[in-house]
Amino acid sequence: LRLDAWLLPARRVTLGPLEPAAARLFFARLAAVHHLAWSPATLDGLARASAGYPLRMQEQARRELDRGAPAAAAGSPARP
């Protein structure tokens, strides 16, 4: 309740899940930026596992980067 009082002039924004295609695009772009060799099946699996929820997507991305996701062809190391 105190936080609501402090943020009184702020607006509340409720975010719902992203569409599966948008979640997949997020993971595809993450893979491109970090030179990760994620297959289309891996991208689909990550998008499905997150159910399109942004916080789940962020957590999954962080876990994948922290555990050293497979580097892309050409021998580029995964960057955290």
Side-chain angles (χ1 to χ4, degrees):
L1 292 174
R2 285 187 199 168
L3 184 58
D4 278 345
W6 290 340
L7 299 175
L8 189 58
R11 294 179 188 228
R12 284 187 188 205
V13 176
T14 302
L15 297 176
L18 300 174
E19 295 293 324
R24 188 181 188 288
L25 181 60
F26 166 80
F27 288 111
R29 287 183 177 168
L30 180 79
V33 166
H34 292 278
H35 307 287
L36 304 173
W38 286 345
S39 69
T42 300
L43 296 172
D44 289 339
L46 289 167
R48 244 188 339 273
S50 70
Y53 286 98
L55 289 177
R56 283 189 198 167
M57 293 166 56
Q58 179 185 15
E59 182 60 28
Q60 282 181 289
R62 184 175 297 133
R63 285 181 186 173
E64 290 295 322
L65 293 174
D66 285 349
R67 85 174 148 168
S76 298
R79 296 180 305 203

